Amino acid sequence: MENSAKAEEHEKIFHKEAKISLDSEAESSFIINQNTASPETGLSAEAPTCGQVNTPKKRKMEFEDDLVKESSSCGEDTPSKKRKLDAEIAPEEKGSGDDEGISRRRRIETDGFPKDEPTGDGTQKRRKIELEDVPEKQKNLEEGHSSAVAAHYNELQEVGLEKRSQSRIFYLRNFNNWMKSVLIGEFLEKVRQKRKRNITVLDLGCGKGGDLLKWKKGRIDKLVCTDIADVSVRQCQQRYEDMKNRCRDNEYIFSAEFITADCSKELLIDKFRDREMCFDICSCQFVCHYSFESYEQADVMLRNACERLSPGGYFIGTTPNSFELIRRLEASETESFGNEIYTVKFQKKGDYPLFGCKYDFNLEGVVDVPEFLVYFPLLNEMAKKYNMKLVYKKTFLEFYEEKIKNNENKMLLKRMQALEPYPANENSRLASEKVGDYEHAAKYMKNGQVKLPLGTLSKSEWEATSIYLVFAFEKQQ
């Protein structure tokens, strides 16, 4: 109780500091004592383990995070011979969670994990190198972070459904996609409950259009898709056209416009077809951390996300949990941590400025680009400038445990193949061959009468996905 009270007090204190920092637009930093005792690196919680699933003969992507093979009808669900999942949740070991204790001073000693802000070196001392002596990707890094992000995503190749289904992170990506689907569906319903009929959405950082089908199923009226990567935007637009062409004569699909822009540096309102357009939802999935290179960039991103929201509209998204990232960093013996699926590498420990705290993030075959810590209390303070109020925030584990209790969400989990069958049948093999990666599932099987196979994620996959959180802000009247 005493530690909890201290954490709450520290958080209140830092909220004030964050506001002072914003008012002065000074780049603060937070120093962690180098002698902090760090516990062993490990998962913040065990991987989710659920009840019986039926193992399909072949993996099949039902939903899109990259490309979806949709039925001839535009976005309709089709019955499939997929694994059954009772979704009985195995008891989880709660981890560090989202402690947000921050001291009154810039320098403090912590008695456990760091409880601080996303940060990095705001005025970075980059190496002086001759651009002609380095590859194109390195040139982009030196010229600016935004161009590096655009180059990375423009260079990502489209791969076929068969190849994606054989990916080591097949279930991880499906699980993340399920999280987005539930979040989007829930807040679309909240908008409808406010008697809103024609729903307009801004997809900030749309990528190749991984959420198009979600918006179709959500029966929205208009969608604006924007991304920094021009190739991704063109692929997103082509997906939309293909989706529209597959629709039956009497089937409705939303109208859409597509914009290539750096949402941390350019004002989208100058690019909209209708400058007076307002949105009911702005969705920013796995993207806003790219804008925290500086105060100015983070502010422009928030202005784009929130300025044109109607009163009662929502800014929703997913982003890395800075507290979990720093916890794992401080527990590591080096400046990096991860496993065979993902790696996170910081430039140094102990100094985490509010803006520009860069780290390199790699996720197998999907992401390999620098990102910046997002200290969430700071994001919350900055959003107030645009009359936004935080109404929802959960870690991925908390969100999963809350939403899996709903039967519709359970069924969606099945259709999206968001958990892996365990044990594997004689005609298939597990996604991970790492010793101990399914220890939690084996333990769950021994704890009671369960129908097999179970549905789970490997520990390696859960370690990768449990660094994230979901959030929602509401525009005030």
Side-chain angles (χ1 to χ4, degrees):
M1 290 294 292
E2 183 180 352
N3 289 338
S4 176
K6 285 183 179 179
E8 290 180 8
E9 179 63 23
H10 287 322
E11 183 176 345
K12 289 178 183 177
I13 291 170
F14 191 83
H15 276 295
K16 293 179 182 178
E17 285 194 353
K19 191 165 185 178
I20 292 171
S21 173
L22 293 178
D23 291 340
S24 64
E25 295 187 14
E27 293 191 357
S28 303
S29 64
F30 178 77
I31 311 298
I32 290 183
N33 188 285
Q34 296 295 334
N35 297 321
T36 297
S38 299
E40 291 182 339
T41 304
L43 305 184
S44 59
E46 289 186 357
T49 305
C50 296
Q52 181 187 18
V53 297
N54 287 341
T55 309
K57 293 181 180 178
K58 194 175 184 180
R59 293 179 184 176
K60 181 181 177 185
M61 279 266 218
E62 181 73 8
F63 284 70
E64 79 310 334
D65 190 12
D66 279 353
L67 186 65
V68 175
K69 261 189 179 174
E70 299 170 86
S71 57
S72 57
S73 170
C74 179
E76 290 184 359
D77 287 335
T78 55
S80 58
K81 299 175 182 176
K82 290 198 182 70
R83 54 197 71 171
K84 284 187 179 177
L85 209 90
D86 292 341
E88 312 164 20
I89 302 174
E92 307 290 349
E93 293 180 10
K94 299 298 187 295
S96 63
D98 215 15
D99 295 330
E100 297 179 4
I102 295 297
S103 115
R104 188 185 305 270
R105 302 179 187 87
R106 296 282 172 80
R107 297 176 180 269
I108 68 169
E109 292 185 0
T110 60
D111 55 0
F113 300 131
K115 318 228 180 355
D116 41 296
E117 59 251 56
T119 44
D121 31 306
T123 54
Q124 298 175 355
K125 298 179 181 178
R126 295 191 177 90
R127 292 179 302 158
K128 293 183 179 180
I129 58 176
E130 297 297 327
L131 292 184
E132 61 269 21
D133 293 335
V134 295
E136 188 64 30
K137 197 162 187 178
Q138 182 62 41
K139 287 184 182 181
N140 288 328
L141 285 171
E142 294 300 320
E143 290 167 359
H145 175 68
S146 296
S147 59
V149 173
H152 168 74
Y153 286 105
N154 279 330
E155 290 168 8
L156 281 182
Q157 299 295 315
E158 280 284 355
V159 296
L161 185 62
E162 181 68 24
K163 185 173 181 180
R164 276 193 305 280
S165 69
Q166 300 305 315
S167 168
R168 169 65 182 87
I169 57 172
F170 174 81
Y171 296 102
L172 167 65
R173 298 184 72 180
N174 289 354
F175 183 82
N176 286 351
N177 205 23
W178 177 81
M179 301 286 280
K180 291 193 300 176
S181 295
V182 174
L183 180 68
I184 286 171
E186 179 172 314
F187 281 89
L188 281 173
E189 184 58 31
K190 288 183 182 294
V191 170
R192 283 203 177 79
Q193 289 174 358
K194 298 175 180 179
R195 300 184 298 279
K196 183 76 177 180
R197 291 186 178 180
N198 299 324
I199 298 177
T200 302
V201 172
L202 173 63
D203 193 337
L204 201 68
C206 64
K208 294 177 171 61
D211 293 336
L212 286 174
L213 187 56
K214 299 178 184 66
W215 302 124
K216 172 67 177 68
K217 290 177 179 293
R219 307 186 308 281
I220 70 170
D221 186 67
K222 181 175 177 62
L223 177 67
V224 177
C225 293
T226 179
D227 198 277
I228 191 174
D230 181 59
V231 172
S232 294
V233 173
R234 291 201 303 269
Q235 290 173 337
C236 180
Q237 185 168 5
Q238 185 59 55
R239 278 189 180 180
Y240 169 75
E241 295 298 333
D242 292 343
M243 180 186 290
K244 191 162 64 170
N245 292 336
R246 284 193 294 270
C247 288
R248 300 191 183 100
D249 292 339
N250 62 344
E251 195 171 8
Y252 177 78
I253 186 171
F254 55 84
S255 62
E257 65 179 280
F258 303 86
I259 299 170
T260 300
D262 183 346
C263 296
S264 70
K265 295 181 179 178
E266 304 172 71
L267 292 179
L268 294 178
I269 193 171
D270 297 330
K271 300 176 182 294
F272 294 152
R273 293 172 189 166
D274 177 9
R275 289 177 57 91
E276 302 301 316
M277 176 170 47
C278 288
F279 299 96
D280 301 292
I281 288 179
C282 172
S283 177
C284 188
Q285 307 296 335
F286 302 101
V287 170
C288 67
H289 44 278
Y290 294 123
S291 68
F292 270 71
E293 185 172 7
S294 67
Y295 168 82
E296 291 76 16
Q297 287 176 257
D299 181 63
V300 170
M301 180 276 294
L302 282 169
R303 180 176 176 182
N304 282 324
C306 306
E307 188 175 45
R308 298 303 299 171
L309 280 176
S310 300
Y314 296 99
F315 170 40
I316 64 175
T318 48
T319 193
N321 180 356
S322 61
F323 300 108
E324 183 63 17
L325 290 177
I326 298 302
R327 185 191 75 82
R328 297 187 191 186
L329 174 63
E330 291 293 324
S332 172
E333 295 180 354
T334 67
E335 284 73 39
S336 64
F337 59 87
N339 55 41
E340 74 278 10
I341 289 176
Y342 85 108
T343 57
V344 175
K345 184 176 182 180
F346 283 78
Q347 295 173 327
K348 60 179 177 179
K349 290 184 180 182
D351 185 10
Y352 310 108
L354 293 177
F355 301 99
C357 185
K358 188 174 77 169
Y359 60 91
D360 293 309
F361 180 70
N362 181 281
L363 180 65
E364 186 185 82
V366 180
V367 182
D368 185 12
V369 71
E371 299 179 357
F372 297 94
L373 276 181
V374 179
Y375 177 60
F376 203 87
L378 175 64
L379 175 64
N380 189 19
E381 287 296 326
M382 294 183 70
K384 292 177 182 178
K385 176 179 177 180
Y386 299 100
N387 206 22
M388 303 299 293
K389 179 182 178 181
L390 181 65
V391 294
Y392 191 86
K393 172 174 164 282
K394 299 282 185 182
T395 65
F396 264 31
L397 173 62
E398 294 167 338
F399 186 79
Y400 168 79
E401 290 187 331
E402 176 183 297
K403 302 307 176 185
I404 197 60
K405 297 174 184 177
N406 178 281
N407 286 330
E408 289 186 11
N409 293 338
K410 287 181 185 178
M411 294 303 297
L412 185 62
L413 192 80
K414 299 177 193 179
R415 294 199 301 271
M416 297 181 75
Q417 296 189 79
L419 295 178
E420 180 180 13
Y422 179 88
N425 65 24
E426 58 184 12
N427 297 319
S428 63
R429 64 180 184 178
L430 294 170
S432 173
E433 298 178 355
K434 183 178 177 181
V435 176
D437 239 4
Y438 298 94
E439 184 178 16
H440 56 287
K443 180 180 177 181
Y444 181 61
M445 286 170 54
K446 295 177 181 178
N447 285 344
Q449 297 295 324
V450 295
K451 297 180 180 180
L452 300 178
L454 302 172
T456 190
L457 289 178
S458 68
K459 284 187 176 181
S460 297
E461 288 172 294
W462 181 244
E463 186 177 345
T465 196
S466 60
I467 66 174
Y468 294 100
L469 56 79
V470 301
F471 65 83
F473 293 86
E474 183 179 18
K475 187 70 170 281
Q476 301 302 289
Q477 298 289 336

